[in-house]
Amino acid sequence: MASGSNFGRTVEMIDGIVTSLDDPALTADNQPSKHTILEYANKLPAKGEQDAPSEEAEPIYSDCFNLLAQDQHNEHKSIYTRQMLQYIKLQAGQINRELSLPTSQRTLQSLEASGLTKRRYKVWDWGDNAPTDTLLVDCLSRVEMHPDYQRKYSEHSTQLRLLKHYNKDCKDEYIDMPYTFSTSGRESSSENQGPDQESDKKREYQTAIKHTEGLWIESSSRDRLKATIQEIEAKPTKITNVICFGLGHINLNKDFYHSIIQHMAVFTIIDTLNELRRQRDPDHTPIRLILQDPRYTPRDHETMKWLFPYDDNISFVSDPDGLLAINSGTLLVTAYLPFSMPLMQIVADLFAEDPSQGPVAMICDEMELDADKREYSVRDRASPGVARFLMGHYEKVDAEFDGYALESDFMADVYGKDWYEQNRYYWLNSMELWARR
């Protein structure tokens, strides 16, 4: 157990969930007074408003495409099957082995795969890539795979630009290849730093994080989250693992530091579940935590293991291992994933044949779900398949995260002193909770 953390302390039982929060008292300069709760009914955006494109948005964001007709034409067939992900894993292994070699010893030039119509396309080409150490799997969303979108906006999609770059000799206007690979350099946490500098940086991180952890432990939102998890635990199917996608690299810069409270929330979820089960069975198997984010650095790995109280049950994975690890005991957690990462579409495909094997619950970005919806834009996280999957087999825990808030001094610690003027919000306010029926 990591000695630096308080997440492993005894969990207090909560009788119920707080359903409302007091309005904050505002000071003369319109700042919330210290120790009051951040709950601005007239300030918080409506559900989904944060991601809604404005009327003046570029056409690429507002232009819609008929995915329902496309889905019906394809007879509701899944694209991202387990078989496809296993093949992606095989190819990723080939590229990673190549990346591990000195440049002079690399012999693999390119890789191909079959598209949906069995035509072969290059999905990776070494080409003139600079030396890199990180491999990314880039999956296309249903909108990006729509022929009309590709004809109009292929240059705006990283995935499609890569596929066209890799397949320069291909004259096809439409490419039905659902994935590709890209390589990049991972951010170094200790580049050009000596041992003393790295030690100082480590202490700086730990001091800042311990202060934030203390604020989190005293936060009312932590108590509410624990109560919510107790409700999920009361369901017949139990969570055995928590898999997180894209919770973010830990950076003390206030523009990015909010990722720390996303991780702390996950640690609290696991700690709550472990304590509840320990009360029933002292020999219970601890919850397994799997984290996937291409931006994680070695320092992030070290920080997580220092902060997480069950460090023997935490692992870091790369695409597509996180997706392949999802099973009927999974709590899936994500936050602010780029629209270019169609996570929910992949999950819906994976478990379309047997939804009972899908995740127990999901904390994910907001989506507009409508079984009859035909038109989707590139900023829609959902698809007809996602609507069928969730509306048919899951229940949305309505307003579960509405009213969650952090105290004003906590907000200042995480987002900076100007958080109020910058319209910063607690991340769970923009998330939805879905539980399998």
Side-chain angles (χ1 to χ4, degrees), residues 150-193:
Q150 292 197 13
R151 280 192 287 270
K152 296 178 70 173
Y153 300 118
S154 62
E155 290 304 311
H156 294 269
S157 163
T158 299
Q159 293 91 321
L160 288 170
R161 286 201 309 271
L162 277 170
L163 283 169
K164 288 183 177 292
H165 174 73
Y166 293 153
N167 297 274
K168 295 185 181 72
D169 297 331
C170 177
K171 303 302 181 184
D172 295 351
E173 189 175 33
Y174 173 62
I175 297 178
D176 65 356
M177 189 69 230
Y179 72 91
T180 184
F181 296 97
S182 61
T183 50
S184 65
R186 188 188 304 273
E187 179 182 343
S188 174
S189 59
S190 57
E191 186 176 4
N192 299 323
Q193 290 185 354

Short mmCIF file of all heavy atoms in Angstrom, two decimals, residues 150-193:
data_model
loop_
_atom_site.label_atom_id
_atom_site.label_comp_id
_atom_site.label_asym_id
_atom_site.label_seq_id
_atom_site.Cartn_x
_atom_site.Cartn_y
_atom_site.Cartn_z
N GLN A 150 -16.50 12.11 -46.08
CA GLN A 150 -15.17 11.97 -46.66
C GLN A 150 -15.00 12.82 -47.91
O GLN A 150 -13.93 13.39 -48.15
CB GLN A 150 -14.87 10.50 -46.96
CG GLN A 150 -14.73 9.65 -45.71
CD GLN A 150 -14.04 8.32 -45.98
OE1 GLN A 150 -13.46 8.10 -47.04
NE2 GLN A 150 -14.11 7.43 -45.00
N ARG A 151 -16.05 12.93 -48.71
CA ARG A 151 -15.96 13.76 -49.91
C ARG A 151 -15.80 15.24 -49.57
O ARG A 151 -15.11 15.98 -50.27
CB ARG A 151 -17.20 13.55 -50.79
CG ARG A 151 -17.16 12.29 -51.64
CD ARG A 151 -18.26 12.29 -52.67
NE ARG A 151 -19.56 12.04 -52.07
CZ ARG A 151 -20.09 10.84 -51.92
NH1 ARG A 151 -19.42 9.76 -52.32
NH2 ARG A 151 -21.28 10.68 -51.38
N LYS A 152 -16.42 15.67 -48.47
CA LYS A 152 -16.43 17.09 -48.14
C LYS A 152 -15.34 17.51 -47.17
O LYS A 152 -14.80 18.61 -47.27
CB LYS A 152 -17.80 17.47 -47.55
CG LYS A 152 -18.96 17.30 -48.51
CD LYS A 152 -20.29 17.64 -47.85
CE LYS A 152 -20.43 19.12 -47.58
NZ LYS A 152 -21.80 19.46 -47.09
N TYR A 153 -15.01 16.62 -46.21
CA TYR A 153 -14.19 17.09 -45.09
C TYR A 153 -13.02 16.18 -44.74
O TYR A 153 -12.50 16.25 -43.63
CB TYR A 153 -15.07 17.23 -43.84
CG TYR A 153 -16.21 18.19 -44.00
CD1 TYR A 153 -17.53 17.76 -43.88
CD2 TYR A 153 -15.98 19.55 -44.25
CE1 TYR A 153 -18.59 18.65 -44.01
CE2 TYR A 153 -17.03 20.44 -44.38
CZ TYR A 153 -18.33 19.99 -44.27
OH TYR A 153 -19.37 20.88 -44.40
N SER A 154 -12.57 15.35 -45.64
CA SER A 154 -11.51 14.40 -45.28
C SER A 154 -10.24 15.10 -44.81
O SER A 154 -9.51 14.56 -43.96
CB SER A 154 -11.20 13.49 -46.47
OG SER A 154 -10.72 14.24 -47.57
N GLU A 155 -9.97 16.30 -45.30
CA GLU A 155 -8.76 17.01 -44.89
C GLU A 155 -8.85 17.52 -43.46
O GLU A 155 -7.84 17.93 -42.88
CB GLU A 155 -8.49 18.18 -45.84
CG GLU A 155 -8.06 17.75 -47.23
CD GLU A 155 -6.83 16.85 -47.20
OE1 GLU A 155 -5.85 17.22 -46.52
OE2 GLU A 155 -6.86 15.78 -47.82
N HIS A 156 -10.04 17.50 -42.87
CA HIS A 156 -10.21 17.98 -41.50
C HIS A 156 -10.12 16.84 -40.48
O HIS A 156 -10.20 17.09 -39.28
CB HIS A 156 -11.57 18.67 -41.35
CG HIS A 156 -11.68 19.94 -42.14
ND1 HIS A 156 -11.35 21.17 -41.62
CD2 HIS A 156 -12.06 20.16 -43.42
CE1 HIS A 156 -11.53 22.10 -42.54
NE2 HIS A 156 -11.97 21.52 -43.64
N SER A 157 -9.96 15.62 -40.94
CA SER A 157 -9.89 14.46 -40.06
C SER A 157 -8.46 13.94 -40.02
O SER A 157 -7.90 13.59 -41.07
CB SER A 157 -10.84 13.36 -40.55
OG SER A 157 -10.53 12.12 -39.96
N THR A 158 -7.88 13.88 -38.83
CA THR A 158 -6.52 13.35 -38.70
C THR A 158 -6.44 11.93 -39.23
O THR A 158 -5.49 11.56 -39.94
CB THR A 158 -6.09 13.37 -37.22
OG1 THR A 158 -6.11 14.72 -36.75
CG2 THR A 158 -4.70 12.79 -37.05
N GLN A 159 -7.44 11.11 -38.90
CA GLN A 159 -7.42 9.72 -39.33
C GLN A 159 -7.47 9.60 -40.85
O GLN A 159 -6.72 8.82 -41.46
CB GLN A 159 -8.61 8.96 -38.72
CG GLN A 159 -8.52 8.80 -37.20
CD GLN A 159 -9.19 9.95 -36.45
OE1 GLN A 159 -9.09 11.11 -36.86
NE2 GLN A 159 -9.88 9.63 -35.36
N LEU A 160 -8.35 10.38 -41.48
CA LEU A 160 -8.47 10.31 -42.94
C LEU A 160 -7.25 10.89 -43.63
O LEU A 160 -6.81 10.38 -44.67
CB LEU A 160 -9.74 11.03 -43.39
CG LEU A 160 -11.05 10.31 -43.04
CD1 LEU A 160 -12.25 11.22 -43.31
CD2 LEU A 160 -11.18 9.01 -43.83
N ARG A 161 -6.68 11.95 -43.07
CA ARG A 161 -5.45 12.50 -43.66
C ARG A 161 -4.33 11.47 -43.62
O ARG A 161 -3.57 11.32 -44.57
CB ARG A 161 -5.02 13.77 -42.91
CG ARG A 161 -5.86 14.99 -43.21
CD ARG A 161 -5.10 16.28 -42.87
NE ARG A 161 -4.56 16.27 -41.53
CZ ARG A 161 -5.21 16.70 -40.45
NH1 ARG A 161 -6.46 17.14 -40.58
NH2 ARG A 161 -4.64 16.68 -39.26
N LEU A 162 -4.24 10.74 -42.50
CA LEU A 162 -3.21 9.71 -42.40
C LEU A 162 -3.44 8.61 -43.43
O LEU A 162 -2.50 8.18 -44.11
CB LEU A 162 -3.23 9.10 -40.99
CG LEU A 162 -2.47 9.85 -39.90
CD1 LEU A 162 -2.78 9.26 -38.54
CD2 LEU A 162 -0.97 9.81 -40.16
N LEU A 163 -4.68 8.15 -43.54
CA LEU A 163 -4.97 7.08 -44.49
C LEU A 163 -4.66 7.51 -45.93
O LEU A 163 -4.11 6.74 -46.72
CB LEU A 163 -6.43 6.65 -44.37
CG LEU A 163 -6.76 5.77 -43.16
CD1 LEU A 163 -8.27 5.63 -42.99
CD2 LEU A 163 -6.11 4.39 -43.31
N LYS A 164 -5.00 8.74 -46.26
CA LYS A 164 -4.71 9.23 -47.61
C LYS A 164 -3.20 9.41 -47.81
O LYS A 164 -2.68 9.19 -48.91
CB LYS A 164 -5.46 10.54 -47.87
CG LYS A 164 -6.97 10.34 -48.04
CD LYS A 164 -7.67 11.63 -48.36
CE LYS A 164 -9.16 11.39 -48.60
NZ LYS A 164 -9.41 10.62 -49.84
N HIS A 165 -2.51 9.81 -46.74
CA HIS A 165 -1.05 9.94 -46.83
C HIS A 165 -0.40 8.58 -47.03
O HIS A 165 0.52 8.43 -47.85
CB HIS A 165 -0.52 10.61 -45.56
CG HIS A 165 0.97 10.67 -45.49
ND1 HIS A 165 1.72 11.53 -46.27
CD2 HIS A 165 1.87 9.96 -44.74
CE1 HIS A 165 3.01 11.36 -46.00
NE2 HIS A 165 3.12 10.42 -45.07
N TYR A 166 -0.87 7.59 -46.27
CA TYR A 166 -0.30 6.25 -46.39
C TYR A 166 -0.64 5.60 -47.73
O TYR A 166 0.08 4.71 -48.19
CB TYR A 166 -0.82 5.34 -45.27
CG TYR A 166 -0.37 5.73 -43.87
CD1 TYR A 166 -1.15 5.40 -42.76
CD2 TYR A 166 0.83 6.41 -43.65
CE1 TYR A 166 -0.75 5.73 -41.47
CE2 TYR A 166 1.23 6.75 -42.37
CZ TYR A 166 0.44 6.41 -41.28
OH TYR A 166 0.83 6.74 -40.01
N ASN A 167 -1.77 6.00 -48.32
CA ASN A 167 -2.24 5.38 -49.56
C ASN A 167 -2.26 6.42 -50.69
O ASN A 167 -3.28 6.66 -51.33
CB ASN A 167 -3.64 4.79 -49.35
CG ASN A 167 -3.66 3.68 -48.31
OD1 ASN A 167 -3.41 2.52 -48.62
ND2 ASN A 167 -3.95 4.03 -47.06
N LYS A 168 -1.10 7.01 -50.93
CA LYS A 168 -1.00 8.09 -51.93
C LYS A 168 -1.42 7.63 -53.32
O LYS A 168 -1.95 8.43 -54.11
CB LYS A 168 0.44 8.60 -51.99
CG LYS A 168 0.95 9.28 -50.73
CD LYS A 168 2.35 9.83 -50.97
CE LYS A 168 2.91 10.50 -49.72
NZ LYS A 168 3.26 9.50 -48.69
N ASP A 169 -1.19 6.37 -53.63
CA ASP A 169 -1.50 5.88 -54.97
C ASP A 169 -2.95 5.44 -55.12
O ASP A 169 -3.38 5.08 -56.22
CB ASP A 169 -0.58 4.70 -55.32
CG ASP A 169 0.88 5.11 -55.36
OD1 ASP A 169 1.15 6.30 -55.67
OD2 ASP A 169 1.75 4.26 -55.06
N CYS A 170 -3.69 5.46 -54.03
CA CYS A 170 -5.09 5.04 -54.08
C CYS A 170 -5.95 6.17 -54.65
O CYS A 170 -5.89 7.31 -54.18
CB CYS A 170 -5.58 4.65 -52.68
SG CYS A 170 -7.32 4.21 -52.61
N LYS A 171 -6.75 5.86 -55.64
CA LYS A 171 -7.59 6.87 -56.29
C LYS A 171 -9.01 6.89 -55.71
O LYS A 171 -9.84 7.68 -56.14
CB LYS A 171 -7.67 6.60 -57.79
CG LYS A 171 -6.30 6.57 -58.48
CD LYS A 171 -5.53 7.86 -58.28
CE LYS A 171 -4.18 7.81 -58.99
NZ LYS A 171 -3.38 9.05 -58.73
N ASP A 172 -9.28 6.01 -54.75
CA ASP A 172 -10.63 5.94 -54.19
C ASP A 172 -10.98 7.23 -53.46
O ASP A 172 -10.21 7.73 -52.64
CB ASP A 172 -10.75 4.78 -53.19
CG ASP A 172 -10.57 3.42 -53.85
OD1 ASP A 172 -10.53 3.40 -55.10
OD2 ASP A 172 -10.45 2.42 -53.13
N GLU A 173 -12.16 7.76 -53.76
CA GLU A 173 -12.62 8.95 -53.05
C GLU A 173 -13.09 8.57 -51.65
O GLU A 173 -13.01 9.37 -50.72
CB GLU A 173 -13.77 9.60 -53.82
CG GLU A 173 -14.18 10.95 -53.28
CD GLU A 173 -15.23 11.61 -54.14
OE1 GLU A 173 -16.07 10.89 -54.73
OE2 GLU A 173 -15.23 12.86 -54.22
N TYR A 174 -13.55 7.32 -51.51
CA TYR A 174 -14.05 6.83 -50.23
C TYR A 174 -13.17 5.69 -49.75
O TYR A 174 -12.92 4.73 -50.48
CB TYR A 174 -15.50 6.36 -50.37
CG TYR A 174 -16.04 5.69 -49.12
CD1 TYR A 174 -16.14 6.39 -47.92
CD2 TYR A 174 -16.45 4.36 -49.15
CE1 TYR A 174 -16.64 5.78 -46.78
CE2 TYR A 174 -16.96 3.74 -48.02
CZ TYR A 174 -17.05 4.46 -46.84
OH TYR A 174 -17.54 3.85 -45.71
N ILE A 175 -12.67 5.79 -48.52
CA ILE A 175 -11.85 4.75 -47.91
C ILE A 175 -12.63 4.15 -46.75
O ILE A 175 -12.95 4.86 -45.79
CB ILE A 175 -10.50 5.32 -47.42
CG1 ILE A 175 -9.69 5.84 -48.60
CG2 ILE A 175 -9.71 4.27 -46.65
CD1 ILE A 175 -8.35 6.47 -48.20
N ASP A 176 -12.93 2.87 -46.82
CA ASP A 176 -13.75 2.25 -45.77
C ASP A 176 -12.90 1.51 -44.74
O ASP A 176 -13.32 0.51 -44.17
CB ASP A 176 -14.79 1.31 -46.38
CG ASP A 176 -14.17 0.10 -47.09
OD1 ASP A 176 -12.93 0.04 -47.17
OD2 ASP A 176 -14.93 -0.77 -47.55
N MET A 177 -11.71 2.04 -44.49
CA MET A 177 -10.81 1.48 -43.47
C MET A 177 -11.11 2.16 -42.14
O MET A 177 -11.00 3.38 -42.02
CB MET A 177 -9.36 1.76 -43.88
CG MET A 177 -8.32 1.06 -43.04
SD MET A 177 -8.34 -0.71 -43.32
CE MET A 177 -8.42 -1.29 -41.64
N PRO A 178 -11.51 1.41 -41.10
CA PRO A 178 -11.96 2.05 -39.86
C PRO A 178 -10.87 2.47 -38.88
O PRO A 178 -11.17 3.08 -37.86
CB PRO A 178 -12.85 0.98 -39.22
CG PRO A 178 -12.31 -0.31 -39.73
CD PRO A 178 -11.79 -0.04 -41.11
N TYR A 179 -9.61 2.17 -39.17
CA TYR A 179 -8.56 2.56 -38.23
C TYR A 179 -7.24 2.78 -38.97
O TYR A 179 -7.05 2.35 -40.11
CB TYR A 179 -8.37 1.51 -37.13
CG TYR A 179 -7.72 0.23 -37.61
CD1 TYR A 179 -6.34 0.06 -37.57
CD2 TYR A 179 -8.49 -0.83 -38.11
CE1 TYR A 179 -5.74 -1.12 -38.01
CE2 TYR A 179 -7.90 -2.00 -38.54
CZ TYR A 179 -6.53 -2.15 -38.50
OH TYR A 179 -5.94 -3.30 -38.94
N THR A 180 -6.34 3.43 -38.29
CA THR A 180 -4.98 3.62 -38.78
C THR A 180 -4.07 3.81 -37.58
O THR A 180 -4.53 3.86 -36.44
CB THR A 180 -4.91 4.82 -39.75
OG1 THR A 180 -3.59 4.91 -40.29
CG2 THR A 180 -5.24 6.12 -39.04
N PHE A 181 -2.78 3.89 -37.82
CA PHE A 181 -1.81 4.09 -36.74
C PHE A 181 -1.02 5.37 -36.99
O PHE A 181 -0.74 5.73 -38.13
CB PHE A 181 -0.81 2.93 -36.67
CG PHE A 181 -1.42 1.60 -36.33
CD1 PHE A 181 -1.74 0.69 -37.33
CD2 PHE A 181 -1.66 1.25 -35.01
CE1 PHE A 181 -2.28 -0.55 -37.03
CE2 PHE A 181 -2.21 0.01 -34.69
CZ PHE A 181 -2.53 -0.88 -35.70
N SER A 182 -0.63 6.03 -35.91
CA SER A 182 0.29 7.15 -36.01
C SER A 182 1.31 7.03 -34.89
O SER A 182 1.08 6.36 -33.89
CB SER A 182 -0.46 8.49 -35.89
OG SER A 182 -1.13 8.59 -34.65
N THR A 183 2.45 7.65 -35.09
CA THR A 183 3.50 7.61 -34.09
C THR A 183 3.89 9.02 -33.70
O THR A 183 3.79 9.96 -34.50
CB THR A 183 4.75 6.87 -34.62
OG1 THR A 183 5.10 7.41 -35.90
CG2 THR A 183 4.47 5.39 -34.76
N SER A 184 4.32 9.18 -32.46
CA SER A 184 4.71 10.50 -31.97
C SER A 184 5.71 10.33 -30.85
O SER A 184 5.96 9.22 -30.38
CB SER A 184 3.49 11.28 -31.48
OG SER A 184 2.93 10.64 -30.34
N GLY A 185 6.28 11.44 -30.41
CA GLY A 185 7.19 11.42 -29.28
C GLY A 185 6.44 11.68 -28.00
O GLY A 185 5.61 12.57 -27.92
N ARG A 186 6.69 10.88 -26.98
CA ARG A 186 6.04 11.06 -25.69
C ARG A 186 6.70 12.22 -24.95
O ARG A 186 7.91 12.39 -24.98
CB ARG A 186 6.17 9.78 -24.85
CG ARG A 186 5.36 9.81 -23.56
CD ARG A 186 5.69 8.60 -22.70
NE ARG A 186 5.48 7.35 -23.39
CZ ARG A 186 4.32 6.71 -23.45
NH1 ARG A 186 3.26 7.22 -22.86
NH2 ARG A 186 4.21 5.56 -24.10
N GLU A 187 5.86 13.01 -24.26
CA GLU A 187 6.39 14.10 -23.46
C GLU A 187 7.29 13.54 -22.36
O GLU A 187 6.92 12.61 -21.66
CB GLU A 187 5.25 14.89 -22.82
CG GLU A 187 5.72 16.03 -21.94
CD GLU A 187 4.55 16.76 -21.30
OE1 GLU A 187 3.42 16.60 -21.77
OE2 GLU A 187 4.78 17.49 -20.32
N SER A 188 8.47 14.09 -22.23
CA SER A 188 9.41 13.62 -21.21
C SER A 188 9.21 14.38 -19.92
O SER A 188 9.09 15.60 -19.92
CB SER A 188 10.85 13.79 -21.69
OG SER A 188 11.75 13.47 -20.66
N SER A 189 9.16 13.65 -18.81
CA SER A 189 8.97 14.31 -17.51
C SER A 189 10.27 14.75 -16.89
O SER A 189 10.30 15.45 -15.90
CB SER A 189 8.25 13.35 -16.56
OG SER A 189 9.01 12.17 -16.38
N SER A 190 11.40 14.32 -17.45
CA SER A 190 12.68 14.66 -16.84
C SER A 190 13.73 15.02 -17.88
O SER A 190 14.91 14.84 -17.65
CB SER A 190 13.17 13.49 -15.98
OG SER A 190 13.27 12.32 -16.75
N GLU A 191 13.27 15.52 -19.03
CA GLU A 191 14.19 15.84 -20.10
C GLU A 191 15.16 16.93 -19.65
O GLU A 191 14.77 17.95 -19.10
CB GLU A 191 13.41 16.31 -21.33
CG GLU A 191 14.29 16.52 -22.55
CD GLU A 191 13.47 16.90 -23.77
OE1 GLU A 191 12.25 17.05 -23.63
OE2 GLU A 191 14.06 17.03 -24.85
N ASN A 192 16.44 16.69 -19.90
CA ASN A 192 17.50 17.66 -19.59
C ASN A 192 17.55 18.01 -18.10
O ASN A 192 17.98 19.09 -17.73
CB ASN A 192 17.31 18.95 -20.40
CG ASN A 192 17.37 18.69 -21.90
OD1 ASN A 192 18.16 17.86 -22.36
ND2 ASN A 192 16.54 19.39 -22.66
N GLN A 193 17.11 17.10 -17.24
CA GLN A 193 17.16 17.35 -15.81
C GLN A 193 18.10 16.34 -15.15
O GLN A 193 18.07 15.16 -15.46
CB GLN A 193 15.77 17.22 -15.18
CG GLN A 193 14.82 18.33 -15.58
CD GLN A 193 13.49 18.22 -14.84
OE1 GLN A 193 13.25 17.26 -14.14
NE2 GLN A 193 12.64 19.22 -15.00
#
